Amino acid sequence: MKIAVLALQGAFLEHEKMLRNLGAEVVELRKKEDLEQDFDGLVLPGGESTVQGKLLEELAMFDILQQKIRQGLPVLATCAGLILLAEELSNDDKRYFRTLPVTVRRNAYGRQLGSFFYQGEIAGIGSFPMEFIRAPYIESVKDGVSVLAEVEERIVAVQYKNQIGLSFHPEVTGDCRIHEYFLKTIKKE
Ligand code: GLN
């Protein structure tokens, strides 16, 4: 199975390592030509959504990726990646792919509390170490979106059709069960 990792900016290497450990073939998406090959899934890593959004446009990758996601390409998006997928952002004028029908709040925990650790429950997975880094959370979801995890009544993980969106960074703690879950959803299709 071949998984493409968006490698323009941010925490993409950790995802690649985890996916390789699970036996997946990994390719990096750095330029438009990288999108010409076939791949079975996509990882949108954390980082800075404004920078990633801008680079996607400048490199002419945005429209192609948006179309692939709309057509059902399985996506695992973390943190800034979640912001890129969100249909609405409650505290920012920008919008990106808009394929995930949720409203996301950027830098939602404020500057001081921006980064923290929480051991939370994820539906279908169980207790999971969640590392939040200047994290967004999901303020509301539309019909059809499954909430996979909440932390102190804030939604931090969702699934909608082909898309999984997380506020936190599952790639930094060494627990590979979310990546494993993602790969399993692809196998089922
Ligand atoms: N604060 C970042 C943003 O708004 C997201 C942080 C992250 O990906 N860890 O894009």
Side-chain angles (χ1 to χ4, degrees):
M1 184 182 313
K2 200 197 261 191
I3 306 296
V5 178
L6 186 67
L8 299 179
Q9 187 269 342
F12 52 88
L13 284 176
E14 293 83 351
H15 283 286
E16 292 176 12
K17 215 179 283 169
M18 211 162 239
L19 291 163
R20 283 198 188 99
N21 283 343
L22 290 168
E25 185 189 341
V26 174
V27 290
E28 290 189 343
L29 302 180
R30 292 178 176 274
K31 53 185 186 310
K32 193 179 172 200
E33 292 69 39
D34 296 335
L35 293 167
E36 284 164 11
Q37 63 197 311
D38 281 334
F39 43 84
D40 307 300
L42 169 68
V43 171
L44 298 176
E48 199 53 46
S49 54
T50 47
V51 177
Q52 294 180 5
K54 194 163 169 273
L55 286 169
L56 282 168
E57 282 290 355
E58 283 174 9
L59 296 164
M61 296 169 77
F62 184 89
D63 291 344
I64 303 169
L65 273 181
Q66 185 181 45
Q67 197 187 0
K68 283 182 185 289
I69 300 169
R70 281 189 183 144
Q71 286 171 346
L73 176 70
V75 188
L76 174 65
T78 65
C79 214
L82 166 68
I83 295 168
L84 292 184
L85 289 185
E87 187 177 286
E88 288 297 337
L89 301 177
S90 62
N91 59 345
D92 199 300
D93 292 337
K94 297 210 185 63
R95 304 284 182 277
Y96 303 95
F97 295 127
R98 305 195 74 173
T99 50
L100 181 64
V102 301
T103 298
V104 167
R105 187 167 191 82
R106 285 188 66 203
N107 299 319
Y109 294 94
R111 274 178 166 242
Q112 301 304 320
L113 286 171
S115 301
F116 60 97
F117 175 82
Y118 194 94
Q119 186 77 27
E121 277 292 317
I122 301 186
I125 289 181
S127 180
F128 196 89
M130 301 175 180
E131 198 70 58
F132 292 83
I133 306 169
R134 292 176 298 106
Y137 62 67
I138 298 157
E139 279 188 349
S140 61
V141 303
K142 285 194 178 163
D143 281 356
V145 178
S146 309
V147 173
L148 299 181
E150 289 183 54
V151 167
E152 288 167 354
E153 292 173 20
R154 313 272 201 216
I155 301 168
V156 297
V158 293
Q159 184 164 14
Y160 175 74
K161 297 181 180 170
N162 54 321
Q163 302 166 67
I164 298 171
L166 311 170
S167 298
F168 54 92
H169 286 257
E171 77 284 9
V172 295
T173 49
D175 191 322
C176 60
R177 284 174 297 160
I178 288 186
H179 291 75
E180 209 169 17
Y181 176 78
F182 175 57
L183 296 179
K184 263 191 215 148
T185 63
I186 301 175
K187 272 192 195 137
K188 271 192 214 144
E189 281 177 6

